């Protein structure tokens, strides 16, 4: 699966992943510095669990056959142990009494269970040789025990397949869901990432979906086998003794009451825990990424205290959820014990008055525990499922967030462009009533180098991010080669645009991995040629393993200039027709800046280039300089012409020149 560009990447050649039938959103990102009104900055109200559940079940549906097989194996797994209790009852009331020459106890041969066992043994006796003496108590006992051996062999097989298939289905569903969610997230606009911590996004991808997996393993298999086993055991109990069965089920209403009362509370607390975990994960990842800043300000103690406060909050919420879950489980276990105690008490009364048999009472006690085992699990499952439903809600909240930019269904593929860019009376604002760009009208010719200058907040970065269509203007339109960008496929557009930003982001991996990121199919010769053009080949060959050297997270093992040259080489390799340079050299030392400027000069050759720079000395040779202020274009001309006009650009230039002399 092709990876999409990540937030903060210095060179972005962003294309859409193939559309998936369950998440059809396209990539788009607003400019830094604000959140477009059309973007989803905050999650929408939580969708109804029923609606989210239906959408979740769409992921489960392809594996229905495996779920059915797992449920059938599960039914066998929980029903087959009843044979032990029934065999013990038959042994006590029928075989032992018969071997002692006593009359069978009252009711030992009248119910359908005993008659069924006797019919089975008689049938087996006709099939076995006479040496088995199948008509004697000992012979019947041997038949019974051999049968139980085969029953438990089959039980072991069903136990394995039930566990394996349910786990397999759960992990397959989560693989599909996690993949779709990742693809959907990568298509969302910059506003989504600007309003959330990356650790919180990872929490939804990992922790929430892991909780959702419990729904598959429990609801999709356990619920059916537990319900089936409950029906089976209730039937067997009533078949043996209706009065004892009725007495044993008197606690059922209390089960239902406890599940209804504590289930909703469990879901609410689980949702709070997951939200706190998302915030906590985001904080921790943010601090780990900025550990150098933490250490430079000697803020370890303060961060440790902040970590403890957040961890304590998460702990308190978790323990509140644990208290509710534990209370529900303890109540269920207590009711189970009360049911067992009640059956012993009432069974003893029935036994002493001759209304039942010892074997029946013993079998009832054993079967009652087998009955309440799935009942207990259903109660525990009630808590688990509420936690899973809360996680499913949170997952589909993200699916419901839409990108700022939508690709039209009939969008056409943009052919190889010459690079003419036209801003046709463009207006844009992050909020409808607060435009950042106002009536921008600018025509950039193919191969032209245009510099954007102006005070901070003038709208320079916002303007250039209209070119790769990270967001759409609220009025006017942006064209490339006369084609409205809203009519073309995003992948075909962004694959022809390169962005080199001030903050270079490299991925953990090797130098080779980062160079080939935008064009994985490039040959070794093409990769080396791009590195040479960016003045990167020499220092790469001095690394311990050359192009295969691991550079650490965000290129931590490289200097700022080295990282920037790797980024430029990556742009060379992709050969974009339009190049956007956003403060690409402002954070470098003088020696590195000279090399970077030479590399950029090579990169800009025969390409349409838009350069944003605060240091005006770096854009003196631009074909044209566009001066912006408060979202408007104030002046457009060459460096010398702008100085002659003695306008805003001339004032900015003189201020920087005087500052450099004073320094």
């Amino acid at each position: 699966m092709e990876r999409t560009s990540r937030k903060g990447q210095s060179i972005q050649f962003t294309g859409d992943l193939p559309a998936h039938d369950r998440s059809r959103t396209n990539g788009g990102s607003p400019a830094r510095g604000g959140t477009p009104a059309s973007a989803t900055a905050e999650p929408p109200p939580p969708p109804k669990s029923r609606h989210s559940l239906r959408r979740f079940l769409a992921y489960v549906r392809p594996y229905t056959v495996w779920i059915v097989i797992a449920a059938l194996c599960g039914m066998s797994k929980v029903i087959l142990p009843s044979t032990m209790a029934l065999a013990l009852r038959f042994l006590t009331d029928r075989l032992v009494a018969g071997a002692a020459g006593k009359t069978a106890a009252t009711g030992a041969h009248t119910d359908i269970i005993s008659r069924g066992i006797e019919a089975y043994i008689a049938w087996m006796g006709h099939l076995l040789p006479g040496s088995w003496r199948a008509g004697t108590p000992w012979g019947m006992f041997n038949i019974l025990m051999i049968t139980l051996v085969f029953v438990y062999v089959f039980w072991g097989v069903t136990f394995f397949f039930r566990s394996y298939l349910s786990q397999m289905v759960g992990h397959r569903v989560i693989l599909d869901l996690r993949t779709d969610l990742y693809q959907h997230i990568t298509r969302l606009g910059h506003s989504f990432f600007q309003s959330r911590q990356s650790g919180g996004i990872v929490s939804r991808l990992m922790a929430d979906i892991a909780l959702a997996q419990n729904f598959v393993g429990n609801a999709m298999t356990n619920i059916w086998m537990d319900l089936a086993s409950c029906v089976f055991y209730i039937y067997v109990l009533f078949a043996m003794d209706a009065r004892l069965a009725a007495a044993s089920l008197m606690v059922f209403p209390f089960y239902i009451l406890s599940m209804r009362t504590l289930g909703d509370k469990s879901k609410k607390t689980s949702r709070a825990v997951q939200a706190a975990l998302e915030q906590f994960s985001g904080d921790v990842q943010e601090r780990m990424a900025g550990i150098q800043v933490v250490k430079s300000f000697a803020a370890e103690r303060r961060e440790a205290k902040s970590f403890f406060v957040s961890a304590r909050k998460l702990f308190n919420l978790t323990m509140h959820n644990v208290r509710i879950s534990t209370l529900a489980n303890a109540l269920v276990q207590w009711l189970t014990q009360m049911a067992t105690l009640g059956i012993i008490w009432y069974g003893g009364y029935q036994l002493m008055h001759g209304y039942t048999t010892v074997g029946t009472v013993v079998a009832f006690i054993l079967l009652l525990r087998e009955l309440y085992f799935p009942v207990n699990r259903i109660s525990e499952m009630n808590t688990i499922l509420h936690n899973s439903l809360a996680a499913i809600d949170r997952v589909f909240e993200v699916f419901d967030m839409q990108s700022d930019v939508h690709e039209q269904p009939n969008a056409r593929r943009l052919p190889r462009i010459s690079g003419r860019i036209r801003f046709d009376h463009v207006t844009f604002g992050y909020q409808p009533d607060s435009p950042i760009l106002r009536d921008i009208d600018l025509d950039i010719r193919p191969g032209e180098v245009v510099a954007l200058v102006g005070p901070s907040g003038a709208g320079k970065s916002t303007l250039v991010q209209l070119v790769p269509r990270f967001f759409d203007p609220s009025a006017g339109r942006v064209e490339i080669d006369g084609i409205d960008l809203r009519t073309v496929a995003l992948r075909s557009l962004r694959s022809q645009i390169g962005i080199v930003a001030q903050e270079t982001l490299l991925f953990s991996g090797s130098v080779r991995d980062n160079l080939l990121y935008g064009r994985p199919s490039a040959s070794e010769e093409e990769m080396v040629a791009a590195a040479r053009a960016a003045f990167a080949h020499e220092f790469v060959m001095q690394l311990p393993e050359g192009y295969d050297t691991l550079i650490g997270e965000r290129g931590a093992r490289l200097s700022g200039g080295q990282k920037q040259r790797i980024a430029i080489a990556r742009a060379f390799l992709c050969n974009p027709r339009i190049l956007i340079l956003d403060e690409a050299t402002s954070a470098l030392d003088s020696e590195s800046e000279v090399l970077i400027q030479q590399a950029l000069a090579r990169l800009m050759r025969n390409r349409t280039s838009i350069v944003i720079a605060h240091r005006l000395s770096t854009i003196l040779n631009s074909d044209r300089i566009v001066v912006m202020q408060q979202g408007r274009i104030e002046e457009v001309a060459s460096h010398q012409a702008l100085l002659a006009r003695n306008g805003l650009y001339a004032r900015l230039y003189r201020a920087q020149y005087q500052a450099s002399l004073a320094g």
Side-chain angles (χ1 to χ4, degrees), residues 290-562:
I291 191 64
Q292 185 174 356
V293 176
V294 174
K295 289 183 174 295
S296 65
F297 286 96
E300 293 92 340
R301 185 186 297 272
R302 185 169 70 250
E303 289 298 334
K305 182 178 179 181
S306 175
F307 177 90
F308 175 78
V309 170
S310 298
R312 182 72 185 188
K313 177 184 177 182
L314 179 60
F315 169 79
N316 291 336
L317 287 171
T318 303
M319 290 310 300
H320 182 48
N321 188 36
V322 168
R323 279 194 295 272
I324 294 176
S325 302
T326 306
L327 175 60
N329 293 336
L331 184 59
V332 167
Q333 294 296 332
W334 178 77
L335 290 173
T336 301
Q337 297 303 322
M338 290 299 101
T340 304
L341 181 60
I343 203 63
I344 293 175
W345 195 343
Y346 184 67
Y349 169 81
Q350 293 283 89
L351 184 62
M352 291 178 185
H353 288 76
Y355 299 142
T356 190
T357 64
V358 173
T360 298
V361 174
V362 172
F364 248 87
I365 294 172
L366 295 176
L367 291 175
L368 197 61
R369 289 191 171 273
E370 294 293 338
L371 168 64
Y372 279 108
F373 175 73
V375 172
N376 291 347
R377 195 160 56 185
I378 289 174
S379 177
E380 295 174 1
M381 190 189 309
N382 184 53
T383 300
I384 294 173
L385 294 186
H386 277 90
N387 293 346
S388 299
L389 288 174
I392 290 171
D393 280 350
R394 284 168 48 83
V395 168
F396 283 100
E397 280 178 10
V398 180
F399 275 121
D400 288 333
M401 297 176 187
Q402 298 300 314
S403 176
D404 314 283
V405 175
H406 301 278
E407 186 175 284
Q408 296 178 2
N410 58 346
R412 57 174 172 166
R413 184 180 180 277
L414 187 66
R416 186 68 173 171
I417 60 177
S418 61
R420 179 178 181 179
I421 305 172
R422 167 73 172 160
F423 297 93
D424 185 8
H425 298 282
V426 167
T427 296
F428 173 80
Y430 296 114
Q431 302 297 331
D433 55 346
S434 301
I436 300 298
L437 302 175
R438 297 176 175 86
D439 195 30
I440 299 295
D441 193 59
L442 179 65
D443 196 348
I444 301 176
R445 296 181 292 273
E448 187 178 18
V449 177
V450 173
L452 301 181
V453 302
S456 297
K460 303 183 295 295
S461 294
T462 300
L463 181 63
V464 297
Q465 292 196 51
L466 289 170
V467 178
R469 203 185 166 209
F470 287 158
F471 50 93
D472 289 328
S474 53
R477 63 180 183 174
V478 182
E479 299 176 348
I480 291 182
D481 291 354
I483 302 173
D484 190 337
L485 297 188
R486 284 172 290 202
T487 66
V488 303
L490 290 170
R491 183 183 180 88
S492 65
L493 167 67
R494 294 173 183 172
S495 63
Q496 301 189 66
I497 299 174
I499 304 175
V500 182
Q502 174 182 350
E503 181 184 357
T504 304
L505 177 58
L506 302 179
F507 300 125
S508 45
S510 66
V511 174
R512 182 187 307 276
D513 294 336
N514 280 276
L515 288 174
L516 297 177
Y517 182 76
R519 189 183 163 200
S521 61
S523 65
E524 182 80 11
E525 293 75 16
E526 290 173 323
M527 179 188 71
V528 173
R532 290 185 184 277
F535 300 104
H537 178 72
E538 291 74 14
F539 85 80
V540 170
M541 295 308 297
Q542 295 175 6
L543 297 175
E545 298 180 43
Y547 285 92
D548 294 315
T549 302
L550 299 179
I551 61 175
E553 185 177 5
R554 295 175 177 264
R557 298 179 183 176
L558 301 178
S559 69
Q562 290 172 334

Side-chain angles (χ1 to χ4, degrees), residues 438 440-442 626-629 631-636:
R438 297 176 175 86
I440 299 295
D441 193 59
L442 179 65
V626 178
V627 185
M628 298 184 64
Q629 186 174 30
R632 298 183 184 277
I633 294 179
E634 296 290 334
E635 302 172 301
V636 181

